[in-house]
Every structure is written in structure tokens, then in C-alpha cells.
Amino acid sequence: MSSAESAVETLPVWASADDADRTLALLRERAAVCRVRLPDGPEIWLVTRHAEAKRALNHPELIKDPRRSPNPAGIFGGRRYPDDATVVFGRHVLNTDGPDHQRLRAAYRPFLSAQAVKGYRRIVESVTADCLDRMSGGPAADLMAQFAEPIPAHVTAHLLGVPAEEVSTINALATDFASGRPSTTLAATIGALMDSALDQIDHKRAHPDDRLISHLIQLHQRGEWTLQEVAATIVTTIIGGMNTTATLLGAGAATIADQPALQRMLDDERECAALVDELLRYRPPTLHTTWRFAVGPVELGEANIEPGDLVLISLPAVNRDERVFDRPDSLLFDENATRGTHLAFGYGAHYCVGAALARLEAAVALPALFRRFPRLSLAAEPAELAWNIGVIAWNPVSVPVRLEQV
Ligand code: HEM
């Protein structure tokens, strides 16, 4: 029986990443592309295997712009589920395709290219040092609140040219939004985020600098971008860059604390880069890619995807596909093992524009953490860490540690 004919199963509400791994392993074994219902949400096609994920992410009939879907008003069953940041406001890189997408994406290049990202090292070092100094005051810490969240928050603020004092407000709004379960109505959350983006635009008009928002304002003034595109891009950058990197830093630090033998890899630049890459594979910091909308019939695995259908790629599932990765449930650094390329940053036209920056943040912050606190240990079993699991994003709620300073 093909996956299309089997009864549609509702995904459980997972409490932790390990919980999700167990369900996803079963789904991946069953089919490359599974018909599932999201909790309280629509039926979707969930891609669980690596080869099919790459095909889906490059498929011309699986697009990002919901307005081009055959039934735009009926997306998500006619309601605004799942409160997905990337669909419901503005025009930005994650809800456009083709030339529009290329135009919007190009604006990031001067700020996030591999070359440009080298210029962020000093700020990442300085923000990390500040976080570690503050943690040094006590015997214990929560790595999410005191390390993993503030570092990308400050780096994103620097990228945008937003004053540091704005960072925590925007971060809280973005976190609430990206959780998929906003504390107020979706419209109120979007409104607050857009208002804060528009405030920043107004401020930057009066005080231009050489950072991203000022650059976007120039594009708007030249008639190349609408104001709404500028505001939506500010919000997308915050959502794209902060929670994702926070999860890499927080979950990554938890994994290293749990397997202290990994710590020595942090001392060597190349080994550290390999460790960060394997952490990204093992525990990808986003749960799903953002939405794809089918605009024509697509055969993928055994699934017959129809126009109007919704498609998500499960990154934890594809990153542990045993067809591509030997012993996928452990961190593995064996050069003789079969290791494909993980998809934690996506693939194809929408490949993460911030990948180099995220890697830099991890390569600076994780070694600094364990240099400062070499006997850092988890104060909870890794499997007991609670996770906030939204539709696209997922974050450990907290990562409690003992610092045991030497
Ligand atoms: C560990 C950290 C990060 C992870 C795991 C991550 C993951 C991803 C993934 C999976 C995609 C593809 C989404 C899709 O195809 O539907 C993506 C795209 C994107 N990411 Fe990241 N990201 C990270 C950090 C960042 C940072 C630091 C920024 C910006 C400062 C950023 C901005 C973006 C943007 C703007 C896109 C859309 C690109 C496009 O559509 O052309 N991300 N990211």
C-alpha cells in the first residue's frame, strides 16, 4: 500500500527532541514521503528521506509563494494554521520564487558572504566573553538564557544595525511568533513585529549606517524594494537568525557536556568545524524547512503530490537517513564511514543565507564556553531536557548546567 493510501496519522505533540526522533525514525522506515496531519493542523506531505528531500527542495513544482498556489485562500484548510511566520506577512526570501526571490536574496550578500562574515568574529568574541563573565558569578547557569540566546541576538542586532537595547524585545516577539503558538493572536504578534520593524526603519532613515537595514532603505529609495519588503525582511532575518543559532549553541553545548570526549575537538580549528558540522547533522536546529506549495502534480517517493498540497521536509528525519549516514544516531567522525551532506541549512535556491555566520558563532562561542568552564556538566539528563516545539523552529526550553569553576 502506498503512503497515499494508508490512513492519515496525526503527529503527536512532542515534548522533546528525542521524542521526535523516535516518531520520525518510524515514519522514515515506512516511507520517504508520508501523509501526516500536524497536531491541530492540516494534512501535509512530510519528507523523511534524504534523496527525496533534495529532490523536493529543488523541484520546480514545489514553490514558496503561497499566492501562486492553486487555492491560496484554502492553504492550511482555510485558516491561518500553523501560524507560520514565513507565509503570512510581507514579501521576503522565504515566500517568493524565481527573479523576485533572487532580487530579495541578493541584498544579504554584502553582509553574509563568507568574506563578510569574517568581520563578525570580533563582535562574536566580545558578546561571548560578556555572557561568560556574567555566568562566572554563580555555580550554575541556564545555557539557553545566559549563553545560547543572547549571542545570536546581539549578532543579529549588529547585522541589522539595531541598537542593543532593542534586541531582547525583538527577540521575545520573534520567539513567540516562531513558536507557532503565539501568546496573543497571530495578527497581534505580526502587528507588533511589523511595528518594531517599521520603528527601526524610521530610526535608520534619520540615522543611517552601513548595516543591513540602512542598505535595504537605500534599495527602497531607489525604487527596487517596497517598504513592506524592507519590513518583512527585517522580521525574517530576526526569525531566521536567532532561534536557529540559539538551538545550535544550546543543544550543541548540551551534547558536548554530555560527551566530554568531544571537548578536545574544540581546541583545533578544523576539528571544531567538523564537530559543529556533525552537531548540525545530529540535531538540526530547525525542525522543518519552511513550507513548499505544490503547483503541479509531483511524484516523490511513492507519493503522488497534487496541486495545492502542502509539503514540509523533516530535517531531523533526513539528517539521520541510514541510506546516507552510517550509524546516524551517534556523532561520528570516522573518515572511512559513509557520510552524506546533511541538510540542516536546507538545499537549493533557499539554502540558508546565514549558514557561514551561524557556523562562525558556534566556532567561537562553543570553544570559549568550555575553555572558561572546562568542568561544565549538565544538571539534567539530556533526554529530560524539555523542548519548545513549533512548526518550523524548535528550541530547548533551558539547558541547566553546573559550572564547577576551576
Ligand atoms: C544554526 C543556525 C541556522 C540554521 C539551522 C538555519 C536553517 C535554515 C534553513 C533550513 C533554511 C532553508 C529554509 C527552507 O528552504 O525552507 C534557512 C534559510 C534562511 N536562513 Fe537560516 N539558519 C540558521 C541561521 C541563520 C542566520 C544566522 C541567518 C541570518 C542572519 C539566517 C537567515 C536565513 C534566511 C534569510 C533564509 C532564507 C533564504 C532564502 O530563502 O533564500 N539563518 N535557514
Side-chain angles (χ1 to χ4, degrees), residues 57 64 93-94 101 105 108 112 159 236-237 240-241 244-245 248 280 285-286 289-290 292 315 343-346 349-355 357-358 361:
L57 289 168
K64 299 291 298 156
V93 275
L94 280 167
H101 168 249
R105 187 175 165 103
Y108 286 105
L112 290 174
L159 162 68
T236 305
T237 308
T244 49
T245 311
L248 172 60
L280 283 158
T286 42
T289 59
T290 56
R292 261 75 190 164
L315 295 171
L343 302 183
F345 288 121
H350 294 272
Y351 182 83
C352 179
V353 290
L357 181 57
E361 289 180 62

Side-chain angles (χ1 to χ4, degrees), residues 284-313:
T286 42
L287 175 58
H288 298 123
T289 59
T290 56
W291 295 101
R292 261 75 190 164
F293 306 102
V295 288
V298 176
E299 278 181 34
L300 195 64
E302 293 178 19
N304 293 312
I305 300 174
E306 292 178 4
D309 284 356
L310 300 170
V311 179
L312 284 178
I313 288 87

Side-chain angles (χ1 to χ4, degrees), residues 16-17 135 139-150 243 245-259 283 366 369-370 373 376-388 394-403:
S16 71
M135 282 163 54
D142 170 11
L143 288 187
M144 287 311 290
Q146 293 176 263
F147 170 79
E149 287 164 359
N243 288 318
T245 311
T247 300
L248 172 60
L249 297 181
T255 303
I256 298 169
D258 185 49
Q259 302 181 39
R283 180 60 70 225
L366 291 173
L369 174 70
F370 286 92
F373 305 110
L376 180 150
S377 62
L378 281 177
E381 286 300 315
E384 285 168 10
L385 294 179
W387 283 60
N388 235 329
W394 61 348
N395 303 80
V397 175
S398 65
V399 175
V401 292
R402 289 179 290 262
L403 298 173

Side-chain angles (χ1 to χ4, degrees), residues 161-336:
V162 172
E165 58 270 24
E166 290 291 328
V167 166
S168 52
T169 317
I170 295 177
N171 189 28
L173 282 168
T175 304
D176 195 37
F177 193 6
S179 73
R181 302 178 200 92
S183 55
T184 60
T185 63
L186 177 65
T189 312
I190 295 172
L193 264 175
M194 287 303 253
D195 285 351
S196 71
L198 291 168
D199 284 351
Q200 294 313 316
I201 293 170
D202 281 349
H203 181 76
K204 284 287 146 188
R205 277 198 170 117
H207 305 96
D209 59 17
D210 61 354
R211 312 308 306 146
L212 182 61
I213 296 179
S214 293
H215 176 61
L216 300 180
I217 292 171
Q218 282 174 14
L219 295 172
H220 170 56
Q221 285 165 344
R222 294 209 298 261
E224 295 171 27
W225 279 47
T226 67
L227 190 63
Q228 196 204 28
E229 287 170 346
V230 176
T233 297
I234 293 170
V235 174
T236 305
T237 308
I238 291 167
I239 293 174
M242 281 163 58
N243 288 318
T244 49
T245 311
T247 300
L248 172 60
L249 297 181
T255 303
I256 298 169
D258 185 49
Q259 302 181 39
L262 297 174
Q263 269 187 50
R264 57 153 196 83
M265 295 184 76
L266 297 169
D267 298 333
D268 175 86
E269 202 178 316
R270 276 190 49 213
E271 287 193 31
C272 178
L275 173 57
V276 169
D277 203 54
E278 182 62 350
L279 290 170
L280 283 158
R281 180 200 66 80
Y282 177 77
R283 180 60 70 225
T286 42
L287 175 58
H288 298 123
T289 59
T290 56
W291 295 101
R292 261 75 190 164
F293 306 102
V295 288
V298 176
E299 278 181 34
L300 195 64
E302 293 178 19
N304 293 312
I305 300 174
E306 292 178 4
D309 284 356
L310 300 170
V311 179
L312 284 178
I313 288 87
S314 166
L315 295 171
V318 303
N319 272 6
R320 295 200 188 189
D321 185 348
E322 49 288 331
R323 291 156 199 78
V324 176
F325 303 100
D326 279 348
R327 284 168 280 161
D329 293 325
S330 355
L331 293 145
L332 186 64
F333 302 94
D334 178 350
E335 282 172 12
N336 299 319

